[in-house]
Amino acid sequence: MLRIEDLYAGTQGQDILKGIDLEIKPGEVHAIMGPNGSGKSTLSQVLAGNEAYDVTSGTVTYQGRDLLELGADERALAGIFLAFQYPVEIPGFSNEKFLRTAVNAQRRHRGEPELDAFDFAQLAKDKMALMELDPDLLNRSLNVGFSGGEKKRNECFQMALLEPSLAILDETDSGLDIDALRIVSRGVNALRRPDRSVLLITHYQRLLEYIVPDYVHVLADGRIVRSGGKELAAELEQTGYGWLEDMTAGEVAQ
Amino acid sequence: MKTASPDKSLIYQDVFSSGQAAEPAWQRYGALREQALAHLAAHGLETRGDEAWVHGSAGGLAGGEALPVSGLRQTTATGPAALARSHRLVFLNGVFAPERSNVGELPAGAVVQPLSTGGETAQLGGLPVTEATGLVALNALFWRDGLRLELDDNTVLDLPVELHFINDLAGKPGLVPTRNLVQVGAGCQVTVIERHEPGASKLIEQPLTEVICGVGSRVDHIKLVGGAAAGEHFGRTQVVQQQDSRYRSWEIVTGGHLARREIHLELAGPGAACDLNALYMGRGRQRFDLRTRVAHNAPGCTTRELYKGVLDGEARGVFDGLIRVARDSQQTSAHQTNRNLLLSDDAVVNSIPRLEIYADDVKCSHGSTTGQLADEQLFYLRTRGFSPAEARTYLAWAFASEVI
């Protein structure tokens, strides 16, 4: 699905990612954990194609294609979805119109007929119920006046509509209470299929109780310093991230 | 005040005098025209250095040679599509075109007819907000026709009054002034739509609409300046509002090489409210100039002003708004907002929001912002499969949608 090799990337001439290696196979759920400033969000932005970040070296291959050659919209149409840590507000652009345009961009790309407002309403209804979202949110401006939880659930609602092959969730759990966390997790788990992969980026182990990963990676100072199974998350819960400070660059475990 | 060379006013005098016999329309409202002629003879047209033109462009008027053209009533131009149901009056090159119009049935107490018909009304040109400016005088001197709308007290027009101004001088240069009067009594309700398509290059259209809102009346006024042509538009609206009246305005400007829209409004009776909205969207080398002057001359009145611009290419925009609150106009609420979105590095906007407040018990604010599309919004849309062009279009419309 996704293979990252020796990836260096950053912004304003400063590398934040310093040699990432990661392979995600179809059907797998990977979690990336790490302290603030370790490069977690940069990784998600680079994978989604944010031009504010420069890739200085390394390769990213997605479904056999050179991902770095593609613009953000082309990546989206190829099945990559990023759930934003801070979903963007767009006053004057209704959530419904936004979502319908996004869904139709996908359908057009796949050669399927576009959905009209009525067909879209049918499709949206069930997925909104899954995310326990108030249908009125469809008529509001995108993310404007949404609570923190509503924004995150709206991201997962989009994910459910767009049915990506690779979903990247950037700290989707941050700022959520237990109920919202449970709803968001249900949305992600509903998406899990043998041909779909998920990359969870999180600071806390809590999310991984609801979405059980196949692999856990620890990111520190732009590199993956430890990888393991789901038990690694539990271990981190015990030890915290303090031990990372004692590590030197030479002790990278992979 | 700096003035044009008085010599130029001689041209107007000549045209008016020599054309008077040929133009029956100019023999009506003689007092108004005499005043206009006297003003132009004394002061000429404002020129570039005048305050009225700060940041703006006088376009073809700067030469002082834009003259009214007579006798051209034939055109194949179709103008904008008409509403399915309305009281419609169409004006070709400033003259009423009955064959294209459909006034339809009117309720009792309503007059909707060309201003060129019926007896002269004393209300025309009598508004206190009428400044003696060269532009106003030019219109007063040369208009031939326009709308005359009069509603007796408590008359409600359910259908909008729709005006089409279609200009086609077959490529010749010329000035097309039109004059509209909307006078509604107490408790009336009406919607007036003006649709302007400035016409080809070298053509200057100059509509002036006077609106008198009676006590407790409701007037909605929509002005559209559109079309693909390269003419110039100098439009002006003068409004006086009596007690507890509500006047709402939408000015949507997308057409013309140069379009200037002015609103001069007086809140003359207590409790009157105005709601002024505009959207100007320019590209290429279009020049749009939006000006508002609101006078709070009575207590307890409200102004809400929202002017938004979207400029691409090398387009230029001006917003110049002044709200003046007189000393005895307590409990005034006045809010003025101008927001601009620049889609290219070469687009420019000058924003001059102003408040002059002489009363002490008021709630007033003004604000102006000018910015570009936010990168994070563009990126967000692109991660949802919007192409860069689609993302920009949707974001520009989202910005504009607050007005319409």
Side-chain angles (χ1 to χ4, degrees), chain A residues 152-190:
Chain A
K152 296 296 178 78
R153 280 185 280 153
N154 200 43
E155 292 291 292
C156 291
F157 170 44
Q158 293 173 42
M159 185 174 69
L161 284 170
L162 296 172
E163 300 186 325
S165 300
L166 173 64
I168 304 165
L169 286 83
D170 187 5
E171 306 219 11
T172 299
D173 52 330
S174 65
L176 292 186
D177 61 25
I178 288 294
D179 282 341
L181 194 64
R182 183 180 48 77
I183 294 165
V184 162
S185 305
R186 193 168 64 202
V188 175
N189 286 327

Side-chain angles (χ1 to χ4, degrees), chain B residues 67-135:
Chain B
L67 300 174
V69 181
S70 66
L72 278 168
R73 285 202 46 207
Q74 299 304 315
T75 180
T76 52
T78 51
L83 294 177
R85 299 183 68 219
S86 69
H87 307 290
R88 188 173 70 250
L89 285 82
V90 178
F91 297 89
L92 293 181
N93 296 326
V95 178
F96 182 60
E99 70 282 2
R100 293 193 181 205
S101 302
N102 183 10
V103 175
E105 266 186 59
L106 294 165
V111 171
V112 178
Q113 64 186 44
L115 189 56
S116 58
T117 58
E120 294 185 14
T121 164
Q123 294 295 338
L124 199 74
L127 291 176
V129 286
T130 307
E131 297 168 48
T133 71
L135 271 183

Side-chain angles (χ1 to χ4, degrees), chain B residues 23 26 65-78 91-95 100 142 144 165-178 197-206 229-233:
Chain B
E23 288 287 345
W26 292 350
E65 289 138 13
L67 300 174
V69 181
S70 66
L72 278 168
R73 285 202 46 207
Q74 299 304 315
T75 180
T76 52
T78 51
F91 297 89
L92 293 181
N93 296 326
V95 178
R100 293 193 181 205
F142 287 130
R144 295 190 178 94
F165 297 91
I166 301 168
N167 302 306
D168 180 5
L169 299 180
K172 295 194 186 75
L175 177 72
V176 183
T178 49
E197 294 199 349
S201 167
K202 307 277 184 194
L203 190 148
I204 302 172
E205 67 167 344
Q206 202 207 1
E232 297 180 4
H233 174 102

Side-chain angles (χ1 to χ4, degrees), chain B residues 217-259:
Chain B
S217 63
R218 299 272 180 273
V219 176
D220 284 351
H221 194 178
I222 298 161
K223 291 145 277 186
L224 308 170
V225 183
E232 297 180 4
H233 174 102
F234 292 83
R236 181 180 172 109
T237 309
Q238 300 179 166
V239 188
V240 171
Q241 292 188 243
Q242 306 299 341
Q243 183 172 348
D244 295 327
S245 62
R246 185 191 71 192
Y247 174 79
R248 297 192 299 185
S249 165
W250 289 266
E251 304 208 326
I252 313 296
V253 182
T254 57
H257 171 66
L258 166 66

Side-chain angles (χ1 to χ4, degrees), chain A residues 54-70:
Chain A
D54 301 313
V55 173
T56 47
S57 72
T59 60
V60 182
T61 312
Y62 169 72
Q63 293 182 336
R65 302 168 72 182
D66 179 0
L67 188 71
L68 301 176
E69 287 290 299
L70 303 178

Side-chain angles (χ1 to χ4, degrees), chain A residues 45 49-51 72-73 76 81-82 84 88-89 91-92 98 101-102 108 155 158, chain B residues 376-377 379-388 390 394-395 397-399 401-402:
Chain A
Q45 296 284 310
N50 190 338
E51 290 162 7
D73 47 318
F81 179 89
L82 171 63
F84 279 61
V88 173
E89 298 183 3
F98 161 73
T101 308
R108 208 162 52 230
E155 292 291 292
Q158 293 173 42
Chain B
E376 57 268 31
Q377 291 184 338
F379 175 59
Y380 188 73
L381 292 187
R382 289 188 69 192
T383 64
R384 301 307 185 246
F386 291 64
S387 71
E390 273 181 317
Y394 278 107
L395 288 175
W397 278 108
F399 174 84
S401 68
E402 194 183 355

Side-chain angles (χ1 to χ4, degrees), chain B residues 1-9 12 39-40 42-65 132-135 234 260 289 291:
Chain B
M1 182 162 84
K2 276 202 221 164
T3 58
S5 152
D7 294 343
K8 284 179 180 158
S9 70
Y12 298 129
H39 181 89
L40 284 171
H43 305 290
L45 276 186
E46 292 80 11
T47 57
R48 256 192 119 70
D50 281 315
E51 197 232 347
W53 296 110
V54 170
H55 296 301
S57 167
L61 288 174
E65 289 138 13
T133 71
L135 271 183
F234 292 83
R260 174 180 169 117
D289 191 345
R291 293 177 191 243

